[in-house]
Amino acid sequence: MLSDADYSGNASGARRGKKRSSGDSPGDGQTLRSSGRQINVRVKRTNNPPPGQSKRKATDTEEEDDQSEKKYRKCEKAGCSATYPVCFASASDRCAKNGYTSRWYHLSCGEHFCNECFDHYYRSHKDGYEIFASWKKVWTSNGKSEPSLKAFMADQQLPFWVQCTKPDCRKWRQLTKEIQLTSPLAASYRCGMKFNNIKSEGLDHCSQPEDLRVAEVTESWWHSMLILPPLFKESPASPFLAAYYPDCVGMSPSGSPSNMSLSELRADQCRAVPPQIPGLCPYFQPFYQPNECGKALCVRPDMMELDELYEFPEFSRDPTMYLALRNLILASWHKNCKEVLTSQKCALHIIVRGLVRVRCVQEMDRVLHFMTRKGLINTGVLAVKKPLLPERHYTKNVIIIGAGASGLAAARQLQNFGTQVVVLEARERIGGRVWDDTSLGVTVGRGAQIVNGCVNNPIALMCEQMGIKMHKLEERCDLFQEGGLVTDQAIDKRMDFHFNAILDVVSEWRKDKSQNQDTPLREKIKEVKKNFLQESGIQFSELEEKVLQFHLSNLEFACGSTLDQVSARSWDHNEFFAQFSGDHTLLTKGYSALLHKLSEGLDIRTKCPVQAIEYSGDVVKVTSCNGSQWTAQKVLVTVPLTLLQKNMIQFNPPLPDRKLKAIHSLGAGIIEKIALQFPYRFWDNRIQGADYFGHIPPSPDKRGMFSVFYDMEPQGKQAVLMSVITGEAVAAVRDMEDKQVVDECMKVLRELFKEQEVPEPVHFFVTHWTKDMWSQMSYSFVKTGGSGEAYDILAEDVQGKVFFAGEATNRHFPQTVTGAYLSGVREASKMAAL
């Protein structure tokens, strides 16, 4: 922003603070003000002549008028509308008030202070100098920007402005300079309100006209004439951002000091320890700490994101106002995510002096609606009573195909925005690949049940909203060999190191490789391992080879496929993006609890498989297998990747070749699960409270057959184990009867616990996702010759009418319920923006 000659701070260090009334009159400044606008009428000062002095002759009036004109000076700021400025400070006995001064100092159009008041604080022999010096000391020790006198005047001397809370008034009023604005005052203020037990008398104060300057503040050009950006005091974001210079994140350095010393906070900025805020869920870390990076769904509090710059280009030059508002909103939401956050609630916490508060409250609506549409706030399982977005964001109606995590997320978001939504689901149930079983006495997910990284994860948000506690999975995982021996931890760590070293070499190899130079991951791992053993002269023992096979089975679990199908170049493509950090947890109540809450109040038609989508006309026509038809402005397709690959939905016109190529460049991964309920917990003495234990395969051909066993209620009463079948083992059990699979699993358990009796299970289940007509898969992976870009192409809409969501459309977080949920939120945002 342009600045006057006395201000030498840069844009990011600029300040805006308090503003004061231009006169000495008491009250709340309700009278019509003309000091900030160019008007046609000016009140001249008149002085009664002293006794004995004759009145001036009428013939001298013209000469006096010319001289009086010289006693007024315009604001020299180019473009300022104030022809006859008024000093808001009234600090010096010689204050110019609304008269002549050698220089007017401009803070905004309508807010100026005179040279006499400047001197009052700036000159060391003046009475106000100590006040300025004390403020300057605090500002310098806490902040980063220049402690100029303009910054002082904005931060300490401008009057506060507050809006009448009566619904039929809502006029802005200027408080007198001795009144400090607080959130409770902003929440209760009424026109004419008096303070210090002074009774309010007279007519209806709301009938008094609003200050003319307020109308100017709402004009688009007003912001460009602002010398200093607003810096909030007592912002809800303060506890989150204690490690930052306040003025770099939209807060005043003169605000409430942190409990920690600045030396503690900033001497060691290399640390990335999130602040401990009482009552806040530890998984809520919406802001990066200084020098921290690589954390999903986290924002830099001192910098605008690209999508924010696109939406709010007017803040690109000086983002301080936007950052102050956005940080306040994010902090407020994470402090209370169980209620809808409104601009009215947020406005109460905008504590800043001057007319700029009026502008901040005005901008709050836009920023809050943007963040709501993007799913940053007012999201999850939140129930709303009225639409969250203005009517211009409504789509008349939307059809969503599939009631899995992505479809339900999009439906919930769109309905909360104000859109009419119908969800068509082929199955008799909702959830898709989320399907929880409670027949064994505890909840066991036939599909997903683990949350990988809880910090900022929307699953953790929904659990907080519902009061659901997750079980933290500890890292300990003893590796049992068939025969009952527990593998030495030193061997486990050594082979884990070698395994990761092999993958590191693969990562180096792929750096200069194109898609047509890709190779299967299995072949690349074999090659790297062979070269390593030849060059190092190391020979793995038989047990070490088996432990390596265990780690490879975990890799196949992660990919959902045998490694001969997986791209060596792009198998972990999402790791190039920030991932969710923190605890890995087990959803003991299952994902279904969240999805059923998401589905409340939605129009969901089950047993309604879709066979055709016609989008050549003005509206989209959807036809189900039984011939029923629906029309909508937009359609969101959330079916699993396999169904798209097998053309189970006919698109007319056909999907673009680019999208079809992407669909077939991804693989449909598959894993199966088995769960066993026993009469008692026979494993307790060996496992000692661990959440899971590993099974070392006796040979490579047994790899993936029950490689990990999860205790579904550790330290509890129920005796339930769940295991996974991955890689080539999936094909081995595909045509087995459930009892045969159980018998194979029991053989393994009896080998692992050979020295004790292992009872027969009393109940069990085995999954068959490969045979599930409406899934036929578990989660996606990148096939050899493909790339992560395919996920982005799958996510592209077609003609602004047909949209796509699901884990296979989320390049950053594929293969997870979190990724599916976020893809639904993403598409809802896109549809609301168009």
Side-chain angles (χ1 to χ4, degrees):
M1 256 175 220
L2 297 175
S3 59
D4 287 357
D6 74 314
Y7 179 70
S8 58
N10 56 36
S12 66
R15 302 292 184 286
R16 275 196 67 83
K18 305 180 179 181
K19 300 187 179 181
R20 292 188 52 185
S21 58
S22 60
D24 292 328
S25 58
D28 62 357
Q30 294 176 31
T31 55
L32 187 66
R33 295 283 302 272
S34 61
S35 58
R37 292 180 59 86
Q38 183 172 350
I39 57 177
N40 297 325
V41 178
R42 174 169 54 82
V43 179
K44 297 184 181 179
R45 299 185 191 182
T46 60
N47 296 310
N48 293 325
Q53 180 176 321
S54 61
K55 294 184 179 179
R56 295 177 181 173
K57 298 178 181 179
T59 54
D60 294 333
T61 55
E62 291 184 6
E63 180 180 348
E64 278 302 309
D65 282 346
D66 291 341
Q67 290 177 358
S68 68
E69 290 292 342
K70 296 178 182 178
K71 293 187 178 181
Y72 291 87
R73 188 184 189 93
K74 292 182 180 181
C75 173
E76 296 175 2
K77 173 73 174 175
C80 180
S81 59
T83 304
Y84 306 111
V86 176
C87 179
F88 64 77
S90 300
S92 169
D93 292 339
R94 299 174 57 235
C95 176
K97 309 292 186 196
N98 63 340
Y100 175 82
T101 183
S102 59
R103 178 180 178 184
W104 285 108
Y105 292 89
H106 175 105
L107 292 183
S108 76
C109 291
E111 293 170 320
H112 303 78
F113 61 97
C114 66
N115 196 59
E116 287 72 21
C117 288
F118 177 94
D119 286 347
H120 175 76
Y121 290 111
Y122 194 74
R123 307 301 174 191
S124 58
H125 62 283
K126 297 286 187 177
D127 293 343
Y129 178 75
E130 286 301 321
I131 299 173
F132 175 54
S134 294
W135 170 88
K136 188 175 182 179
K137 183 178 180 180
V138 173
W139 189 279
T140 305
S141 63
N142 290 345
K144 196 173 184 181
S145 59
E146 182 72 19
S148 68
L149 192 83
K150 280 192 174 181
F152 166 75
M153 292 299 235
D155 190 66
Q156 297 291 310
Q157 299 302 312
L158 276 168
F160 283 109
W161 288 76
V162 64
Q163 194 171 23
C164 179
T165 56
K166 289 182 68 172
D168 56 347
C169 177
R170 306 298 292 166
K171 292 188 177 77
W172 284 93
R173 305 302 189 188
Q174 177 183 292
L175 298 179
T176 51
K177 58 186 178 183
E178 68 273 8
I179 303 299
Q180 297 288 320
L181 181 63
T182 62
S183 294
L185 174 58
S188 61
Y189 180 80
R190 297 289 182 93
C191 291
M193 181 182 284
K194 298 299 178 181
F195 305 91
N196 300 325
N197 296 319
I198 299 175
K199 293 183 178 180
S200 178
E201 299 177 357
L203 301 174
D204 177 18
H205 293 277
C206 289
S207 64
Q208 298 297 314
E210 188 174 60
D211 192 308
L212 291 172
R213 289 174 294 170
V214 173
E216 279 192 340
V217 175
T218 61
E219 297 291 338
S220 58
W221 55 263
W222 189 90
H223 182 255
S224 65
M225 298 298 293
L226 195 62
I227 292 300
L228 302 172
L231 297 175
F232 296 174
K233 295 191 177 184
E234 301 174 13
S235 170
S238 296
F240 292 84
L241 306 178
Y244 284 89
Y245 290 105
D247 41 340
C248 293
V249 291
M251 299 187 300
S252 170
S254 70
S256 302
S258 168
N259 292 329
M260 296 181 67
S261 69
L262 290 171
S263 58
E264 288 179 297
L265 289 170
R266 301 196 183 106
D268 182 19
Q269 287 201 353
C270 291
R271 68 191 187 120
V273 180
Q276 300 299 312
I277 301 173
L280 186 76
C281 174
Y283 297 139
F284 290 179
Q285 298 173 26
F287 303 105
Y288 278 119
Q289 295 305 300
N291 299 313
E292 187 182 28
C293 62
K295 197 157 66 175
L297 302 192
C298 213
V299 299
R300 285 278 303 270
D302 57 345
M303 186 179 296
M304 292 177 72
E305 306 275 316
L306 287 176
D307 56 348
E308 294 174 319
L309 287 166
Y310 181 80
E311 189 81 10
F312 301 95
E314 66 271 28
F315 291 114
S316 59
R317 187 174 181 185
D318 184 351
T320 309
M321 181 186 291
Y322 179 84
L323 295 175
L325 293 170
R326 178 250 269 162
N327 295 344
L328 183 157
I329 292 169
L330 267 183
S332 299
W333 167 246
H334 285 90
K335 283 185 173 182
N336 183 9
C337 62
K338 297 180 181 181
E339 296 179 2
V340 174
L341 184 65
T342 64
S343 55
Q344 290 77 18
K345 290 178 183 178
C346 291
L348 303 180
H349 298 285
I350 298 176
I351 307 298
V352 64
R353 292 180 179 266
L355 283 164
V356 74
R357 183 169 187 269
V358 180
R359 184 58 175 255
C360 287
V361 172
Q362 176 193 358
E363 295 289 352
M364 176 63 75
D365 266 343
R366 293 178 60 217
V367 178
L368 188 130
H369 287 152
F370 168 75
M371 296 177 71
T372 296
R373 177 169 62 80
K374 297 292 285 187
L376 300 173
I377 62 169
N378 292 334
T379 187
V381 297
L382 203 64
V384 303
K385 295 180 180 178
K386 60 181 182 179
L388 296 176
L389 295 183
E391 194 169 343
R392 66 180 182 274
H393 290 288
Y394 298 0
T395 297
K396 185 179 179 182
N397 63 335
V398 171
I399 293 173
I400 295 176
I401 301 171
S406 58
L408 293 175
R412 168 57 53 205
Q413 291 288 103
L414 287 168
Q415 184 158 298
N416 284 357
F417 293 167
T419 296
Q420 181 182 345
V421 181
V422 174
V423 182
L424 305 179
E425 168 56 49
R427 293 183 174 88
E428 295 183 353
R429 61 173 179 85
I430 66 167
R433 284 167 279 177
V434 167
W435 184 15
D436 293 330
D437 189 302
T438 58
S439 65
L440 308 183
V442 295
T443 300
V444 183
R446 289 175 173 264
Q449 193 170 6
I450 291 174
V451 183
N452 293 307
C454 288
V455 173
N456 297 333
N457 196 312
I459 304 303
L461 170 76
M462 289 187 276
C463 286
E464 182 73 10
Q465 290 173 325
M466 295 179 64
I468 293 176
K469 291 186 177 180
M470 296 181 285
H471 172 71
K472 178 183 176 181
L473 296 173
E474 301 297 339
E475 292 185 5
R476 179 186 161 201
C477 181
D478 291 336
L479 301 186
F480 284 72
Q481 303 166 42
E482 295 196 1
L485 291 176
V486 178
T487 304
D488 188 323
Q489 287 190 1
I491 294 176
D492 182 16
K493 288 181 179 178
R494 182 161 63 250
M495 295 315 296
D496 182 60
F497 171 81
H498 285 305
F499 172 69
N500 284 296
I502 290 170
L503 295 181
D504 288 341
V505 174
V506 174
S507 295
E508 283 296 315
W509 163 83
R510 69 185 175 197
K511 283 183 178 179
D512 59 349
K513 298 296 184 292
S514 62
Q515 271 183 254
N516 56 17
Q517 294 175 299
D518 199 4
T519 189
L521 182 57
R522 182 169 70 178
E523 302 307 315
K524 199 66 199 173
I525 287 175
K526 280 184 178 179
E527 177 189 321
V528 172
K529 176 191 170 188
K530 180 181 177 182
N531 291 341
F532 166 73
L533 294 177
Q534 287 179 346
E535 293 172 7
S536 65
I538 293 175
Q539 188 66 40
F540 292 153
S541 68
E542 182 181 351
L543 177 57
E544 287 174 334
E545 282 285 0
K546 291 179 180 179
V547 173
L548 183 60
Q549 292 297 317
F550 169 80
H551 288 297
L552 288 171
S553 73
N554 273 342
L555 183 58
E556 290 176 326
F557 183 14
C559 295
S561 171
T562 55
L563 299 183
D564 60 335
Q565 299 292 315
V566 180
S567 164
R569 181 175 171 270
S570 301
W571 72 272
D572 62 343
H573 63 97
N574 58 306
E575 293 295 330
F576 291 98
F577 307 101
Q579 296 296 299
F580 292 105
S581 59
D583 298 337
H584 291 223
T585 60
L586 180 74
L587 268 178
T588 50
K589 290 186 179 296
Y591 274 107
S592 292
L594 305 182
L595 298 194
H596 279 95
K597 187 68 176 177
L598 269 180
S599 70
E600 286 182 4
L602 297 176
D603 184 359
I604 302 174
R605 317 285 177 88
T606 55
K607 296 187 287 186
C608 191
V610 169
Q611 70 173 13
I613 298 175
E614 162 73 53
Y615 63 98
S616 58
D618 293 334
V619 296
V620 186
K621 183 187 296 183
V622 176
T623 305
S624 70
C625 293
N626 65 9
S628 299
Q629 290 190 339
W630 294 265
T631 58
Q633 287 181 305
K634 297 181 176 72
V635 168
L636 175 61
V637 179
T638 72
V639 300
L641 175 68
T642 314
L643 305 193
L644 294 176
Q645 291 176 334
K646 294 185 177 182
N647 298 316
M648 292 187 70
I649 296 178
Q650 299 298 315
F651 292 88
N652 186 22
L655 294 177
D657 289 342
R658 167 183 166 86
K659 186 176 284 287
L660 291 174
K661 183 179 178 182
I663 287 170
H664 292 284
S665 72
L666 295 179
I670 186 73
I671 67 164
E672 300 291 2
K673 285 185 172 184
I674 181 172
L676 307 163
Q677 182 184 16
F678 294 94
Y680 57 89
R681 299 172 58 84
F682 65 85
W683 58 88
D684 268 351
N685 289 338
R686 299 288 305 276
I687 304 306
Q688 298 178 344
D691 294 307
Y692 35 66
F693 56 92
H695 161 218
I696 299 295
S699 59
D701 63 302
K702 294 291 185 180
R703 187 174 83 202
M705 188 74 82
F706 321 117
S707 57
V708 179
F709 287 87
Y710 293 82
D711 186 343
M712 298 311 293
E713 196 178 42
Q715 302 167 351
K717 294 181 180 180
Q718 295 294 332
V720 178
L721 292 177
M722 183 273 289
S723 190
V724 292
I725 303 166
T726 64
E728 293 179 355
V730 173
V733 302
R734 180 176 293 132
D735 297 322
M736 286 185 182
E737 296 293 331
D738 287 0
K739 188 62 172 67
Q740 291 178 287
V741 180
V742 171
D743 290 343
E744 290 297 319
C745 188
M746 291 305 299
K747 288 179 187 177
V748 170
L749 283 172
R750 288 185 170 121
E751 279 292 330
L752 301 185
F753 296 89
K754 199 161 190 176
E755 297 180 358
Q756 65 188 79
E757 181 184 353
V758 176
E760 283 292 316
V762 292
H763 297 290
F764 60 82
F765 72 71
V766 179
T767 65
H768 299 280
W769 289 105
T770 50
K771 299 177 181 179
D772 185 302
M773 182 176 180
W774 305 115
S775 290
Q776 304 181 39
M777 65 176 294
S778 298
Y779 41 77
S780 61
F781 65 93
V782 180
K783 291 197 294 191
T784 304
S787 79
E789 186 185 5
Y791 287 89
D792 287 338
I793 297 172
L794 260 172
E796 294 173 355
D797 64 89
V798 180
Q799 297 182 12
K801 299 175 187 175
V802 183
F803 297 76
F804 294 84
E807 59 85 17
T809 72
N810 194 325
R811 187 176 186 177
H812 290 220
F813 313 112
Q815 306 176 323
T816 62
V817 178
T818 297
Y821 173 85
L822 287 173
S823 73
V825 172
R826 177 197 69 215
E827 295 308 301
S829 176
K830 282 165 61 175
M831 285 188 267
L834 289 176

